[in-house]
Amino acid sequence: KSGKGFKESIKKHFISGADRYLSTSSQHDDYYLTYGAEKDRIVRYPFTSVLEKDVQKTALTHDQKREIKKELGIDHEYMILGVGQFIERKGFDVLLNAAKLLPENAALRIVGGKPTEKYLCLAGGDKRIGFIDHIAKDELKKYYMAADVFVLPTREDIWGLVINEAMACGLPVVTTDRCIAGTQLVKDGINGHIGPVDSPKETAEMITDCLKDENYLVFSQNSLEIIKGYTIEKMAARHIELIAEKGEV
Protein backbone atom coordinates (compact mmCIF):
# COMPACT_ATOMS: atom_id res chain seq x y z
CA LYS A 1 0.00 0.00 0.00
CA SER A 2 3.04 2.30 -0.16
CA GLY A 3 2.84 2.66 -3.93
CA LYS A 4 6.55 1.83 -4.17
CA GLY A 5 8.36 -1.25 -5.50
CA PHE A 6 8.02 -3.41 -8.64
CA LYS A 7 4.71 -5.06 -7.76
CA GLU A 8 3.32 -1.72 -6.67
CA SER A 9 4.38 -0.19 -9.99
CA ILE A 10 2.44 -2.85 -11.90
CA LYS A 11 -0.64 -2.20 -9.77
CA LYS A 12 -0.29 1.53 -10.31
CA HIS A 13 -0.03 1.03 -14.09
CA PHE A 14 -3.37 -0.80 -14.26
CA ILE A 15 -5.26 1.02 -11.52
CA SER A 16 -4.33 4.54 -12.65
CA GLY A 17 -5.90 4.08 -16.10
CA ALA A 18 -9.53 3.48 -15.11
CA ASP A 19 -12.42 5.67 -16.21
CA ARG A 20 -14.26 5.12 -12.94
CA TYR A 21 -13.41 3.93 -9.46
CA LEU A 22 -16.19 2.32 -7.45
CA SER A 23 -15.47 3.03 -3.80
CA THR A 24 -17.17 2.08 -0.54
CA SER A 25 -15.63 4.75 1.71
CA SER A 26 -13.08 7.54 2.13
CA GLN A 27 -10.54 4.87 3.18
CA HIS A 28 -11.16 3.11 -0.12
CA ASP A 29 -10.73 6.46 -1.92
CA ASP A 30 -7.30 6.84 -0.33
CA TYR A 31 -6.27 3.41 -1.60
CA TYR A 32 -7.15 4.36 -5.17
CA LEU A 33 -5.39 7.73 -4.87
CA THR A 34 -2.20 5.98 -3.74
CA TYR A 35 -2.16 4.18 -7.10
CA GLY A 36 -2.74 7.25 -9.26
CA ALA A 37 -6.51 7.51 -9.49
CA GLU A 38 -7.97 10.94 -10.28
CA LYS A 39 -10.14 12.09 -7.38
CA ASP A 40 -13.04 13.26 -9.56
CA ARG A 41 -13.34 9.78 -11.09
CA ILE A 42 -14.01 8.11 -7.72
CA VAL A 43 -17.69 7.35 -7.11
CA ARG A 44 -19.41 5.91 -4.05
CA TYR A 45 -21.69 2.87 -3.93
CA PRO A 46 -23.40 0.97 -1.08
CA PHE A 47 -21.56 -2.28 -0.31
CA THR A 48 -23.70 -5.01 1.23
CA SER A 49 -24.74 -8.66 1.47
CA VAL A 50 -28.42 -8.25 2.37
CA LEU A 51 -31.50 -8.20 0.17
CA GLU A 52 -34.44 -5.86 0.74
CA LYS A 53 -36.47 -8.83 2.00
CA ASP A 54 -33.78 -9.51 4.65
CA VAL A 55 -34.41 -6.16 6.34
CA GLN A 56 -36.93 -6.39 9.20
CA LYS A 57 -39.88 -4.03 9.05
CA THR A 58 -39.71 -3.02 12.69
CA ALA A 59 -37.38 -3.62 15.62
CA LEU A 60 -38.20 -6.43 18.02
CA THR A 61 -38.88 -5.60 21.66
CA HIS A 62 -37.01 -7.19 24.56
CA ASP A 63 -40.08 -9.35 25.25
CA GLN A 64 -40.12 -10.67 21.67
CA LYS A 65 -36.41 -11.39 21.84
CA ARG A 66 -36.82 -13.20 25.14
CA GLU A 67 -38.93 -15.85 23.38
CA ILE A 68 -36.21 -16.43 20.76
CA LYS A 69 -33.59 -16.63 23.51
CA LYS A 70 -35.57 -19.40 25.18
CA GLU A 71 -35.57 -21.32 21.90
CA LEU A 72 -31.77 -21.00 21.78
CA GLY A 73 -31.39 -22.03 25.44
CA ILE A 74 -30.29 -18.59 26.66
CA ASP A 75 -31.84 -17.72 30.02
CA HIS A 76 -30.29 -14.28 30.56
CA GLU A 77 -32.29 -11.11 30.06
CA TYR A 78 -29.87 -9.67 27.51
CA MET A 79 -27.64 -11.28 24.90
CA ILE A 80 -24.60 -9.65 23.30
CA LEU A 81 -23.54 -11.17 19.97
CA GLY A 82 -20.25 -11.33 18.10
CA VAL A 83 -19.76 -13.08 14.74
CA GLY A 84 -16.42 -13.84 13.12
CA GLN A 85 -13.26 -15.91 13.12
CA PHE A 86 -11.20 -16.42 16.24
CA ILE A 87 -8.24 -14.48 14.89
CA GLU A 88 -6.26 -11.62 16.42
CA ARG A 89 -7.53 -8.82 14.22
CA LYS A 90 -11.20 -9.49 15.03
CA GLY A 91 -10.57 -8.39 18.62
CA PHE A 92 -12.68 -10.99 20.39
CA ASP A 93 -10.17 -11.00 23.24
CA VAL A 94 -11.30 -7.41 23.88
CA LEU A 95 -14.96 -8.46 23.82
CA LEU A 96 -14.33 -11.31 26.26
CA ASN A 97 -12.63 -8.93 28.68
CA ALA A 98 -15.45 -6.43 28.21
CA ALA A 99 -18.02 -9.15 29.01
CA LYS A 100 -16.61 -9.41 32.53
CA LEU A 101 -17.62 -5.76 33.07
CA LEU A 102 -21.20 -6.15 31.86
CA PRO A 103 -24.27 -6.52 34.11
CA GLU A 104 -24.85 -10.04 35.46
CA ASN A 105 -28.06 -10.39 33.44
CA ALA A 106 -26.17 -10.04 30.13
CA ALA A 107 -24.89 -13.13 28.28
CA LEU A 108 -22.33 -13.19 25.44
CA ARG A 109 -22.37 -15.50 22.43
CA ILE A 110 -19.64 -15.54 19.78
CA VAL A 111 -20.41 -17.41 16.55
CA GLY A 112 -17.45 -18.29 14.37
CA GLY A 113 -16.02 -21.74 14.85
CA LYS A 114 -14.07 -23.44 17.59
CA PRO A 115 -12.22 -21.05 19.93
CA THR A 116 -8.53 -21.60 20.56
CA GLU A 117 -7.13 -22.13 24.04
CA LYS A 118 -6.44 -18.39 24.28
CA TYR A 119 -10.13 -17.49 24.02
CA LEU A 120 -11.24 -20.32 26.30
CA CYS A 121 -8.82 -19.07 28.95
CA LEU A 122 -10.15 -15.52 28.61
CA ALA A 123 -13.70 -16.81 29.06
CA GLY A 124 -12.51 -18.47 32.26
CA GLY A 125 -15.47 -20.80 32.56
CA ASP A 126 -17.93 -17.91 32.90
CA LYS A 127 -21.36 -19.48 32.35
CA ARG A 128 -22.63 -16.28 30.74
CA ILE A 129 -20.19 -16.78 27.83
CA GLY A 130 -20.81 -19.28 25.04
CA PHE A 131 -19.01 -20.13 21.80
CA ILE A 132 -20.99 -21.31 18.79
CA ASP A 133 -19.42 -23.29 15.94
CA HIS A 134 -20.08 -22.44 12.29
CA ILE A 135 -23.83 -22.63 11.68
CA ALA A 136 -26.20 -22.35 8.72
CA LYS A 137 -27.45 -18.92 7.65
CA ASP A 138 -30.99 -19.54 8.93
CA GLU A 139 -29.69 -20.57 12.34
CA LEU A 140 -27.36 -17.57 12.49
CA LYS A 141 -30.31 -15.28 11.80
CA LYS A 142 -31.98 -16.61 14.97
CA TYR A 143 -28.97 -15.40 16.95
CA TYR A 144 -29.15 -11.99 15.30
CA MET A 145 -32.85 -11.79 16.15
CA ALA A 146 -32.33 -12.94 19.73
CA ALA A 147 -29.42 -10.56 20.36
CA ASP A 148 -29.83 -7.14 21.96
CA VAL A 149 -26.51 -5.64 20.83
CA PHE A 150 -24.06 -6.66 18.10
CA VAL A 151 -20.34 -6.10 18.72
CA LEU A 152 -17.41 -6.23 16.30
CA PRO A 153 -14.33 -5.05 18.26
CA THR A 154 -12.07 -5.39 15.21
CA ARG A 155 -8.53 -4.12 14.97
CA GLU A 156 -8.81 -4.00 11.18
CA ASP A 157 -11.59 -4.75 8.70
CA ILE A 158 -11.72 -3.68 5.07
CA TRP A 159 -15.50 -3.71 5.50
CA GLY A 160 -17.26 -6.09 7.93
CA LEU A 161 -20.45 -7.46 6.30
CA VAL A 162 -21.64 -8.89 9.61
CA ILE A 163 -22.54 -5.32 10.55
CA ASN A 164 -24.87 -5.08 7.55
CA GLU A 165 -26.46 -8.38 8.58
CA ALA A 166 -26.88 -7.32 12.21
CA MET A 167 -28.43 -3.98 11.26
CA ALA A 168 -30.87 -5.75 8.91
CA CYS A 169 -32.14 -7.53 12.03
CA GLY A 170 -32.54 -4.21 13.85
CA LEU A 171 -29.53 -4.43 16.16
CA PRO A 172 -27.68 -1.56 17.78
CA VAL A 173 -24.00 -1.94 16.84
CA VAL A 174 -20.81 -1.38 18.81
CA THR A 175 -17.60 -1.40 16.79
CA THR A 176 -14.27 0.37 16.38
CA ASP A 177 -12.91 3.19 14.24
CA ARG A 178 -10.88 0.55 12.34
CA CYS A 179 -14.01 -1.03 10.86
CA ILE A 180 -14.99 0.55 7.54
CA ALA A 181 -18.56 -0.76 7.72
CA GLY A 182 -18.76 0.89 11.12
CA THR A 183 -17.52 4.26 9.88
CA GLN A 184 -20.10 4.18 7.07
CA LEU A 185 -23.12 2.64 8.80
CA VAL A 186 -22.86 3.27 12.55
CA LYS A 187 -23.76 6.77 13.69
CA ASP A 188 -22.42 7.27 17.20
CA GLY A 189 -25.27 7.74 19.65
CA ILE A 190 -27.84 7.19 16.88
CA ASN A 191 -27.79 3.44 16.17
CA GLY A 192 -24.86 2.37 18.33
CA HIS A 193 -21.36 3.48 19.17
CA ILE A 194 -17.89 3.59 17.64
CA GLY A 195 -14.89 3.46 19.94
CA PRO A 196 -11.14 2.84 19.90
CA VAL A 197 -9.51 -0.57 19.51
CA ASP A 198 -8.18 -2.52 22.50
CA SER A 199 -10.42 -0.90 25.10
CA PRO A 200 -12.51 -3.46 27.06
CA LYS A 201 -13.73 -0.82 29.52
CA GLU A 202 -15.01 1.53 26.82
CA THR A 203 -16.48 -1.39 24.87
CA ALA A 204 -18.43 -2.48 27.96
CA GLU A 205 -19.65 1.08 28.55
CA MET A 206 -20.86 1.40 24.95
CA ILE A 207 -22.69 -1.94 25.13
CA THR A 208 -24.35 -0.97 28.42
CA ASP A 209 -25.49 2.33 26.93
CA CYS A 210 -27.14 0.50 24.01
CA LEU A 211 -29.08 -1.65 26.49
CA LYS A 212 -30.68 1.31 28.26
CA ASP A 213 -34.45 1.39 27.90
CA GLU A 214 -34.39 4.92 26.51
CA ASN A 215 -31.88 3.93 23.80
CA TYR A 216 -32.54 0.36 22.79
CA LEU A 217 -35.60 0.61 20.53
CA VAL A 218 -34.51 3.98 19.12
CA PHE A 219 -31.06 2.63 18.17
CA SER A 220 -32.65 -0.53 16.75
CA GLN A 221 -35.15 1.30 14.56
CA ASN A 222 -32.41 3.69 13.38
CA SER A 223 -30.29 0.72 12.29
CA LEU A 224 -33.19 -0.53 10.17
CA GLU A 225 -33.67 2.89 8.55
CA ILE A 226 -29.96 3.26 7.73
CA ILE A 227 -29.55 -0.25 6.30
CA LYS A 228 -32.48 0.25 3.90
CA GLY A 229 -30.03 2.25 1.80
CA TYR A 230 -27.56 -0.66 1.77
CA THR A 231 -29.39 -3.52 0.07
CA ILE A 232 -28.22 -5.65 -2.86
CA GLU A 233 -30.96 -4.04 -4.97
CA LYS A 234 -29.62 -0.56 -4.13
CA MET A 235 -26.04 -1.70 -4.83
CA ALA A 236 -27.04 -3.16 -8.23
CA ALA A 237 -29.03 -0.04 -9.15
CA ARG A 238 -26.05 2.18 -8.36
CA HIS A 239 -23.76 0.09 -10.58
CA ILE A 240 -26.29 0.18 -13.43
CA GLU A 241 -26.65 3.96 -13.04
CA LEU A 242 -22.89 4.50 -13.28
CA ILE A 243 -22.41 2.11 -16.21
CA ALA A 244 -25.30 3.73 -18.12
CA GLU A 245 -23.97 7.26 -17.81
CA LYS A 246 -22.74 8.70 -21.11
CA GLY A 247 -19.84 10.99 -21.96
CA GLU A 248 -16.55 11.73 -20.28
CA VAL A 249 -16.11 11.23 -16.54
Side-chain angles (χ1 to χ4, degrees):
K1 296 180 183 179
S2 66
K4 299 175 182 177
F6 180 68
K7 185 174 76 170
E8 299 291 274
S9 296
I10 293 172
K11 288 168 73 174
K12 187 170 185 177
H13 171 74
F14 286 104
I15 292 174
S16 63
D19 294 317
R20 277 266 165 75
Y21 299 88
L22 289 146
S23 172
T24 62
S25 63
S26 59
Q27 295 96 321
H28 196 172
D29 295 352
D30 291 341
Y31 178 86
Y32 282 138
L33 292 169
T34 298
Y35 290 103
E38 293 181 26
K39 193 169 185 178
D40 61 358
R41 295 190 179 204
I42 300 174
V43 292
R44 190 75 76 248
Y45 77 100
F47 183 58
T48 191
S49 59
V50 298
L51 293 160
E52 285 177 1
K53 68 179 180 63
D54 296 326
V55 180
Q56 285 180 199
K57 301 302 181 190
T58 57
L60 300 181
T61 65
H62 283 309
D63 287 341
Q64 289 172 314
K65 285 178 175 288
R66 196 170 292 120
E67 293 304 309
I68 307 172
K69 288 186 183 75
K70 284 180 184 176
E71 187 182 337
L72 295 173
I74 297 166
D75 55 8
H76 290 78
E77 184 174 359
Y78 302 114
M79 193 258 278
I80 314 307
L81 180 65
V83 177
Q85 296 172 282
F86 289 101
I87 55 177
E88 183 71 14
R89 70 178 174 85
K90 292 295 181 182
F92 287 134
D93 53 319
V94 177
L95 181 53
L96 286 165
N97 284 319
K100 299 168 187 175
L101 305 174
L102 293 176
E104 286 297 318
N105 60 351
L108 170 65
R109 294 294 181 269
I110 301 178
V111 180
K114 296 187 184 302
T116 64
E117 192 63 31
K118 170 186 174 178
Y119 298 100
L120 291 171
C121 287
L122 284 171
D126 190 330
K127 295 190 183 301
R128 296 182 302 157
I129 297 172
F131 300 106
I132 314 297
D133 207 339
H134 296 295
I135 51 179
K137 188 176 179 179
D138 288 348
E139 188 68 14
L140 176 58
K141 187 167 184 178
K142 287 183 185 177
Y143 280 90
Y144 280 127
M145 293 178 70
D148 299 286
V149 182
F150 182 79
V151 186
L152 181 60
T154 184
R155 296 181 170 98
E156 181 189 30
D157 250 295
I158 57 172
W159 185 260
L161 285 167
V162 288
I163 286 181
N164 299 61
E165 295 167 7
M167 287 175 59
C169 290
L171 288 178
V173 174
V174 170
T175 189
T176 71
D177 53 14
R178 302 286 183 86
C179 177
I180 296 181
T183 63
Q184 299 304 300
L185 297 174
V186 181
K187 315 302 178 188
D188 202 58
I190 302 296
N191 68 315
H193 291 291
I194 295 182
V197 297
D198 296 323
S199 180
K201 182 176 182 292
E202 191 159 347
T203 300
E205 289 171 351
M206 293 187 294
I207 293 169
T208 302
D209 187 67
C210 290
L211 292 173
K212 290 178 180 175
D213 288 341
E214 63 268 30
N215 290 339
Y216 174 72
L217 279 176
V218 175
F219 284 10
S220 296
Q221 197 60 46
N222 287 340
S223 274
L224 291 174
E225 291 304 317
I226 292 167
I227 206 64
K228 285 177 184 176
Y230 275 74
T231 63
I232 288 174
E233 290 87 347
K234 289 280 197 311
M235 180 168 66
R238 178 62 171 154
H239 280 70
I240 292 167
E241 174 191 354
L242 292 167
I243 292 167
E245 286 181 359
K246 304 293 185 183
E248 288 294 316
V249 178

